[in-house]
Amino acid sequence: MSPRVKRQRSAIREPRFKRQRLTPLPSQSAEVVTIEHPGGTLAVHALLIAHHSRYFRTVLNGKPKGVGNVIKLAEATGSIDGVQLFIDWLYTRSVGKSEERNDGITSKYGYQSFIRGWIFGGHIEAPSFQNDMARYIFHNENIFNWCSDMRRLWDKVPEGSCLEELLLDMLCKHLLNLKDEEDIVCVVDDLPSVISQKVLRLILPHLQNAYTGERSMVRYDANGYDWKITSHEDYKVCEEVLGEEALDDEDDSSDFE
C-alpha cells in the first residue's frame, strides 16, 4: 500500500478526542463544551471532559468539526449538582489536587452529592470520577444522616454496584456503632424493604452468638463486634488505562502495511 493511501486511511480513523497518556491541562486547548441539562447550562474544556469520560469522548468524536460542541443531557442522567460536581472535579484533577483529602470539593458539596456524583459517573462512563466519589463517601461518613438522607437515595443506587456494596458496609458499621437497639430498629425500619433485608443478611451471621430471638427484630449487644471496612480501594470501579486508545491506534497501524 502506498504511503499516500496509508496517510489518508489513518486520517479517517483518527478521532479528535482521545484518552491521553497524561491528564491534560485546561491551557492545552481553548475548545469548550456546553452541557445543557434541565437544571441549567454549564461549560467545560472539551479536552478535559473527553479525557475522563468515555461517553463524552464518543459524543464529541461523533460531531462534525465546526458544528459547535453542545451536548444535551436528559434529567434521567442525574441532577445538575452531580454534573457541576463532575466539572469541579475535572479541574481539581487537572492540577493534581484530587488525591488530597482537602481539595476543596468536600467543603463545597454534601454527602448526598457524592452519591449522586458516583451515579452520574456511571451514566457518563467516568470510572476515575466514580472512584474519587467513593473516596469522598468513605472519608466523610460523619456528615451524613443515614435515616433521612438515604431514604431519598437508595432507589437511585444501582443494584449490585460497587456503590451499593460500599453504602451497605458503611450502614452496617453505622448500625453497630449505635449500640442501642431502639436506634437500630428506627434506622432499619426507615430503609426500603429490599435494603433492610440486605443489611440484616449481612449483620445477622456475625451476631448469631449474641442473638436472643426475643423479638422479630435483631436484639444484641454490639460491644462485642466491630464492622471492619479497610479502605475505599476495596470498592473501586475498573479504570481505563491512560493512553490505551493511543496504543490501540499504534496497533491498528500494522493493518495498513
Side-chain angles (χ1 to χ4, degrees):
M1 185 180 294
S2 70
R4 181 178 178 183
V5 173
K6 286 174 62 177
R7 283 196 298 272
Q8 288 176 341
R9 291 186 62 177
S10 295
I12 292 172
R13 294 172 61 92
E14 186 73 16
R16 290 177 58 208
F17 297 96
K18 299 180 180 180
R19 179 163 173 81
Q20 301 183 28
R21 295 181 185 275
L22 299 175
T23 302
L25 298 172
S27 58
Q28 290 176 232
S29 172
E31 191 169 358
V32 170
V33 174
T34 299
I35 299 175
E36 294 184 352
H37 183 278
T41 301
L42 302 167
V44 60
H45 282 83
L47 198 65
L48 288 182
I49 203 168
H51 175 77
H52 287 290
S53 163
R54 186 187 294 273
Y55 167 77
F56 283 116
R57 189 159 64 244
T58 301
V59 172
L60 288 169
N61 283 330
K63 288 180 173 291
K65 194 171 183 178
V67 301
N69 293 331
V70 177
I71 299 176
K72 295 184 177 181
L73 292 178
E75 195 165 8
T77 59
S79 61
I80 189 66
D81 67 329
V83 185
Q84 182 64 68
L85 173 55
F86 175 61
I87 291 175
D88 285 348
W89 175 85
L90 288 175
Y91 288 100
T92 59
R93 184 77 177 224
S94 71
V95 294
K97 288 185 177 180
S98 66
E99 294 304 319
E100 303 169 14
R101 293 205 24 205
N102 255 337
D103 55 13
I105 284 182
T106 54
S107 61
K108 182 176 179 180
Y109 292 94
Y111 207 85
Q112 292 184 60
S113 295
F114 302 146
I115 295 174
R116 291 192 185 101
W118 192 100
I119 296 168
F120 177 65
H123 286 297
I124 62 170
E125 300 176 85
S128 295
F129 174 62
Q130 289 180 288
N131 290 334
D132 264 1
M133 292 303 100
R135 179 169 60 86
Y136 292 139
I137 292 167
F138 185 85
H139 287 300
N140 293 277
E141 61 176 311
N142 293 332
I143 65 174
F144 194 64
N145 186 316
W146 284 100
C147 292
S148 62
D149 293 342
M150 279 311 299
R151 190 185 302 119
R152 297 189 291 270
L153 290 173
W154 274 119
D155 64 334
K156 297 179 176 61
V157 176
E159 187 173 3
S161 66
C162 295
L163 176 63
E164 184 187 65
E165 184 182 356
L166 171 60
L167 293 174
L168 286 173
D169 272 348
M170 295 187 75
L171 177 56
C172 290
K173 177 184 176 183
H174 170 74
L175 289 172
L176 292 175
N177 285 339
L178 291 176
K179 303 189 187 304
D180 184 273
E181 181 190 348
E182 296 303 323
D183 291 340
I184 295 170
V185 171
C186 176
V187 174
V188 174
D189 283 350
D190 271 345
L191 295 171
S193 59
V194 173
I195 298 301
S196 64
Q197 291 169 16
K198 289 183 178 181
V199 168
L200 292 177
R201 281 200 298 269
L202 286 170
I203 290 181
L204 285 177
H206 297 282
L207 301 170
Q208 284 179 339
N209 293 335
Y211 179 57
T212 67
E214 295 177 11
R215 295 176 52 168
S216 58
M217 181 55 210
V218 64
R219 181 181 180 86
Y220 61 88
D221 175 9
N223 291 311
Y225 186 75
D226 182 23
W227 193 267
K228 298 291 186 183
I229 304 179
T230 56
S231 170
H232 63 89
E233 297 283 339
D234 296 335
Y235 307 91
K236 289 186 70 173
V237 179
C238 292
E239 298 190 12
E240 293 181 80
V241 178
L242 285 172
E244 65 179 3
E245 290 178 342
L247 292 174
D248 288 343
D249 288 343
E250 290 173 5
D251 293 338
D252 287 344
S253 65
S254 61
D255 297 337
F256 304 140
E257 296 296 327

